[in-house]
Amino acid sequence: QITLKESGPTLVKPTQTLTLTCTFSGFSLSTSGVGVGWIRQPPGKALEWLALIYWDDDKRYSPSLKSRVSITKDTSKKQVVLTMTDMDPVDTATYYCARRPGGFVGDGFDNWGQGTLVTVSS
Amino acid sequence: IQLTQSPSSLSASVGDRVTITCRASQVISSYLAWYQQKPGKAPQLLIYAASTLQSGVPSRFSGSGSGTDFTLTISSLQPEDFATYYCQQVNSYPLTFGGGTKVEIK
């Protein structure tokens, strides 16, 4: 059974740095083609892709956030960490991590965490 | 690549056939996925590669299209299908999602 779970602060102040951890089980991030990504969703709004890290440490970022976002992995701990600097109230959203299985042309994110709501407020 | 979904919302009855459209701003071959999201829940993958049904997804869901125009069809709407649906292109970075289509009860 594949599971992912996000953890981190629920409230951050403007200008602070957000660090979120995705802890997963049921698959390995050392398997060829597999990736773990972060997606966020402001309240009442659409999904927005943020970043993705692959089994071979290839990293991809949304250009609109690239200067503020960093993604890393710890394969042995089965964790992926998202760091976002200079947080602003507009970054208030539910943050999800999700698995990209790889190996399929045109695949999407097939397993998602439950999400964690992060509020940015002073 | 921008994805435009239409309609943004629709009202339908149980048993209705429902069609949602996703148009890409440039050609993405068949590199499109569809998700269903219920309130307070994470999205769930329904279809990938434009027309391949994800394991465990009911066969009343189907996807079609290639290039720039794609369609998600629910052949006979069930009570549990009332949700918001998103398309996502995985052709190139940055990965992008459509604005969503909310399917409500008539």
Side-chain angles (χ1 to χ4, degrees), chain A residues 9-19 68 83-89 91 118-122:
Chain A
T10 57
L11 179 66
V12 297
K13 290 180 168 48
T15 76
Q16 286 187 336
T17 295
L18 171 69
T19 300
R68 299 174 51 209
T83 302
M84 185 178 294
T85 61
D86 194 25
M87 293 292 284
D88 184 272
D91 297 313
V118 177
T119 301
V120 184
S121 175
S122 55

Side-chain angles (χ1 to χ4, degrees), chain A residues 85-118:
Chain A
T85 61
D86 194 25
M87 293 292 284
D88 184 272
V90 300
D91 297 313
T92 294
T94 296
Y95 287 75
Y96 297 99
C97 63
R99 185 186 83 144
R100 190 173 187 188
F104 301 94
V105 172
D107 64 331
F109 292 106
D110 67 346
N111 285 271
W112 294 62
Q114 64 190 22
T116 185
L117 176 61
V118 177

Side-chain angles (χ1 to χ4, degrees), chain B residues 28-49:
Chain B
I28 59 171
S29 186
S30 296
Y31 299 153
L32 189 94
W34 288 97
Y35 299 87
Q36 176 193 69
Q37 186 180 32
K38 295 180 180 178
K41 301 294 187 181
Q44 289 193 335
L45 179 65
L46 298 174
I47 288 168
Y48 63 93

Side-chain angles (χ1 to χ4, degrees), chain A residues 8-122:
Chain A
T10 57
L11 179 66
V12 297
K13 290 180 168 48
T15 76
Q16 286 187 336
T17 295
L18 171 69
T19 300
L20 293 174
T21 300
C22 176
T23 303
F24 58 88
S25 64
F27 68 96
S28 173
L29 200 40
S30 59
T31 299
S32 179
V34 175
V36 172
W38 288 92
I39 302 99
R40 72 179 178 180
Q41 185 173 39
K45 295 188 177 181
L47 301 164
E48 178 186 14
W49 172 74
L50 303 178
L52 182 55
I53 189 166
Y54 287 99
W55 66 285
D56 58 356
D57 211 38
D58 182 21
K59 302 172 185 177
R60 304 285 177 161
Y61 296 101
S62 169
S64 63
L65 292 166
K66 188 173 183 178
S67 63
R68 299 174 51 209
V69 169
S70 175
I71 190 170
T72 59
K73 65 179 175 71
D74 186 325
T75 304
S76 61
K77 288 185 177 179
K78 289 185 173 286
Q79 291 181 332
V80 172
V81 175
L82 179 79
T83 302
M84 185 178 294
T85 61
D86 194 25
M87 293 292 284
D88 184 272
V90 300
D91 297 313
T92 294
T94 296
Y95 287 75
Y96 297 99
C97 63
R99 185 186 83 144
R100 190 173 187 188
F104 301 94
V105 172
D107 64 331
F109 292 106
D110 67 346
N111 285 271
W112 294 62
Q114 64 190 22
T116 185
L117 176 61
V118 177
T119 301
V120 184
S121 175
S122 55

Side-chain angles (χ1 to χ4, degrees), chain B residues 10-105:
Chain B
L10 65 91
S11 295
S13 300
V14 172
D16 283 354
R17 181 181 182 89
V18 169
T19 298
I20 298 168
T21 296
C22 179
R23 175 164 288 176
S25 60
Q26 56 191 83
V27 172
I28 59 171
S29 186
S30 296
Y31 299 153
L32 189 94
W34 288 97
Y35 299 87
Q36 176 193 69
Q37 186 180 32
K38 295 180 180 178
K41 301 294 187 181
Q44 289 193 335
L45 179 65
L46 298 174
I47 288 168
Y48 63 93
S51 61
T52 303
L53 203 63
Q54 173 69 358
S55 176
V57 174
S59 59
R60 62 181 180 273
F61 291 93
S62 64
S64 64
S66 67
T68 60
D69 293 320
F70 301 86
T71 299
L72 172 70
T73 300
I74 309 172
S75 61
S76 177
L77 198 65
Q78 298 301 299
E80 60 268 30
D81 300 337
F82 292 95
T84 300
Y85 294 84
Y86 293 95
C87 57
Q88 179 202 21
Q89 68 82 18
V90 292
N91 177 75
S92 61
Y93 298 99
L95 307 181
T96 48
F97 291 90
T101 296
K102 187 174 184 179
V103 177
E104 299 175 301
I105 301 172

